[in-house]
Amino acid sequence: MSDESQPDSPVRAATFPNPVIPGFHPDPSVCRVGDDYYVVCSSFEYFPGIPVFHSRDLIHWTQIGNALDRPGQLRLTGAPSSGGIYAPTLRHHDGRFWLIVTNVTAEGGNMLFTATDPAGPWSDPVRLPGVPGIDPDLAWDEDGVCWCTVAGVSQVRIDPYTGETSETPHRLWSGAPDAKAPEAPHLYRIGDYWYLLIAEGGTERCHGVSIARGRTPGGPFEPCPANPILTHRGTDHPVQNTGHADLVQGPDGSWWMVVLGVRPRGGTPGWHVLGRETFLTPVAWVDGWPVVAKVTPELPAPAWPLVPGPVESVRDDFDLSELRPQWVSVRDRPAEHCTTQERSGWLTLRARGASLDDPDVVFAGRRQQHLACRARTRIDPAEGRGGLAVRLDERHHYEIEAREGEVRVLSRVGPLRTVVASRSVPAGPATLAVRITGAPQRDSRSGPDTLTLGVEEPDGTFTALGALDGRYLSTEVAGGFTGRVIGLYASAGTVHFDWFDYEPLPA
């Protein structure tokens, strides 16, 4: 997954694909500094936390790091799947970047981090014990007062350097009467008004975006008569669950919105498997209110030149001293259990949990970002047992596992753990693979995709050992807020991985 090339000059295209950051990248928050744009997303139980992306055109995004990459910044001990890091907000003020977020664990709460370079390093956390709730936002008024607004929706003044609050949180406008889950607030000064943007309806099919405005950051707020200004609820649109938005201006001064959405597939009720993804949609202003376009799978290219980032390589040869920023682990990543320095050019995993069912499994993976894709790895299991897995959580995962002389396909769905198939293989390293392809749509019960797990023979041919229904690794079945992560794990002893390939296939 190394950078192979960088285009020498801007390019033009008729359309660009949406989502702009595909795969499990929910709750986007965007920040513009000069000609540069940055986005951060939720990461939940995965470490390192809060992926940070950079763009020069709002279209092409490159991950430049993870904001929370040290144990002193992020402790996820005891965090359940879909617990952990929720809904960060990224802002730039007074020459530095500010990142505020909620760690939903027993030892967590709201925290604030700063950096001069969004690629890192980021500071240790400033704790915010006086800030309740989740989805915190930051905004500064003309007098330099820092306002923190949280889901609910309530607001409190804070000292961002110390974390101290100077008052009791007070309630603000919370969207439509009786609307579920008013959350994801963002406060902006635009023209003569302060605008309060929120999500409501819950992050499922009824998700939407609403807005209100007032003369001061504390309100009172007047709701937009056209609320919700964005929702796909009750439609057959290919993008659903649209909400949790943030506003930004393009290079030409036009307005845009980053927003999460999902791409359900299959029959009823429709299953989304990649998690909530980051989409982009244009915004116009009419009579002092934003008018937001529907979120489409493709959009016309904007007026400014497109500037693609580096091309991502299919293969990671594990030739760096640390894993690249796309790699995440479950809850932590101790060097004694996960390292590229023990055997040169290999990733070494030393088991802790006995399987992917265990919260402390040793796992390193990357988000599935394409509806159809293939992943492969070369494993040496001579000293242990491990393999290649597609994970949603501890109770929903498929894997192909190797030990000396044998491979087997395993399935965990809810309370059921099954050995789907097994076969002998020659002693020594083996190549494991999973192919994810769309499922035939036979009727209203057809699933979204099929995961075929198997081995690659010495002549390069693929031998399938099991073909499994993808619906069971979906949010609609498993619940929660995450998406699929494809990666490598150890379940006994020590296993070594020579390389890992990930590549999209034709949808």
Side-chain angles (χ1 to χ4, degrees):
M1 283 185 277
S2 60
D3 296 343
E4 289 188 336
S5 62
Q6 173 71 49
D8 295 328
S9 61
V11 299
R12 296 296 302 166
T15 63
F16 62 87
N18 231 356
V20 290
I21 307 178
F24 156 45
H25 293 108
D27 307 328
S29 178
V30 63
C31 174
R32 178 183 180 182
V33 183
D35 295 330
D36 296 287
Y37 296 88
Y38 303 94
V39 157
V40 294
C41 301
S42 296
S43 49
F44 296 94
E45 74 265 28
Y46 289 96
F47 181 94
I50 310 185
V52 183
F53 293 86
H54 170 256
S55 176
R56 297 297 298 271
D57 62 8
L58 282 177
I59 310 305
H60 300 92
W61 294 90
T62 300
Q63 188 173 352
I64 58 175
N66 295 279
L68 310 186
D69 58 3
R70 306 188 301 275
Q73 296 172 304
L74 177 60
R75 296 192 181 276
L76 295 169
T77 304
S81 288
S82 290
I85 293 298
Y86 280 32
T89 293
L90 178 67
R91 296 293 182 254
H92 186 264
H93 174 75
D94 198 23
R96 70 172 68 186
F97 292 88
W98 302 80
L99 181 65
I100 189 169
V101 70
T102 312
N103 184 2
V104 183
T105 64
E107 301 177 4
N110 286 307
M111 306 178 293
L112 196 153
F113 303 84
T114 62
T116 55
D117 182 347
W122 286 80
S123 69
D124 288 335
V126 173
R127 303 285 177 175
L128 303 169
V131 177
I134 62 172
D135 298 6
D137 174 72
L138 289 177
W140 285 261
D141 65 20
E142 296 87 343
D143 298 323
V145 175
C146 183
W147 298 88
C148 180
T149 310
V150 296
V153 175
S154 64
Q155 185 184 80
V156 64
R157 287 185 292 178
I158 67 169
D159 183 332
Y161 296 94
T162 66
E164 296 177 354
T165 57
S166 58
E167 58 187 15
T168 301
H170 58 277
R171 300 285 295 186
L172 298 178
W173 174 78
S174 295
D178 300 321
K180 176 184 177 181
E183 57 191 8
H186 289 308
L187 188 65
Y188 316 88
R189 177 63 184 264
I190 301 173
D192 295 331
Y193 290 97
W194 285 89
Y195 288 87
L196 177 60
L197 187 75
I198 71 166
E200 61 182 18
T203 197
E204 300 81 25
R205 294 295 193 269
C206 288
H207 212 195
V209 180
S210 291
I211 197 166
R213 68 187 184 188
R215 294 294 185 177
T216 71
F221 288 97
E222 164 200 6
C224 176
N227 279 334
I229 58 173
L230 173 65
T231 186
H232 288 187
R233 63 181 68 143
T235 72
D236 61 358
H237 198 284
V239 181
Q240 290 291 323
N241 301 31
T242 50
H244 205 114
D246 203 1
L247 289 166
V248 68
Q249 283 187 277
D252 63 349
S254 60
W255 284 87
W256 295 77
M257 178 180 281
V258 292
V259 58
L260 72 76
V262 305
R263 292 182 282 173
R265 292 294 187 271
T268 299
W271 295 272
H272 76 276
V273 300
L274 303 189
R276 299 171 299 161
E277 308 176 90
T278 292
F279 291 79
L280 183 71
T281 195
V283 176
W285 288 85
V286 179
D287 297 328
W289 294 109
V291 178
V292 185
K294 294 292 184 182
V295 181
T296 56
E298 286 190 337
L299 282 177
W304 52 88
L306 301 184
V307 187
V311 176
E312 185 177 317
S313 174
V314 167
R315 175 162 294 187
D316 193 329
D317 278 313
F318 303 123
D319 51 359
L320 299 181
S321 61
E322 297 180 349
L323 286 174
R324 292 174 170 85
Q326 295 91 338
W327 289 91
V328 292
S329 297
V330 181
R331 296 182 180 85
D332 64 1
R333 188 190 288 164
E336 61 269 25
H337 290 283
C338 178
T339 180
T340 58
Q341 300 185 49
E342 182 168 320
R343 182 190 287 190
S344 179
W346 293 67
L347 172 65
T348 297
L349 301 182
R350 187 163 286 108
R352 185 172 54 185
S355 76
L356 284 159
D357 300 350
D358 296 329
D360 61 348
V361 65
V362 175
F363 173 88
R366 55 153 298 158
R367 295 157 172 89
Q368 180 183 336
Q369 292 187 275
H370 301 86
L371 296 170
C373 62
R374 179 179 74 165
R376 303 160 62 239
T377 190
R378 185 74 168 165
I379 181 174
D380 179 357
E383 303 172 56
R385 184 177 72 244
L388 174 65
V390 184
R391 179 188 190 272
L392 197 63
D393 60 27
E394 284 82 14
R395 292 166 56 86
H396 301 85
H397 50 84
Y398 299 153
E399 57 261 35
I400 180 163
E401 186 173 87
R403 59 185 177 184
E404 188 75 349
E406 182 189 45
V407 296
R408 58 182 185 168
V409 173
L410 305 171
S411 166
R412 172 69 192 264
V413 178
L416 303 177
R417 180 176 172 85
T418 306
V419 178
V420 176
S422 65
R423 61 162 279 186
S424 61
V425 293
T431 300
L432 312 178
V434 57
R435 293 182 177 181
I436 302 176
T437 55
Q441 297 303 293
R442 298 187 176 92
D443 56 39
S444 62
R445 299 169 298 166
S446 296
D449 58 3
T450 299
L451 286 77
T452 304
L453 299 99
V455 296
E456 193 171 283
E457 307 294 350
D459 64 1
T461 60
F462 174 68
T463 299
L465 300 181
L468 304 177
D469 190 331
R471 81 183 72 200
Y472 302 110
L473 303 189
S474 73
T475 300
E476 283 75 14
V477 170
F481 304 118
T482 64
R484 290 180 186 166
V485 178
I486 304 175
L488 313 172
Y489 71 97
S491 53
T494 301
V495 290
H496 307 276
F497 299 88
D498 186 13
W499 46 261
F500 173 87
D501 285 358
Y502 173 92
E503 59 184 325
L505 298 174

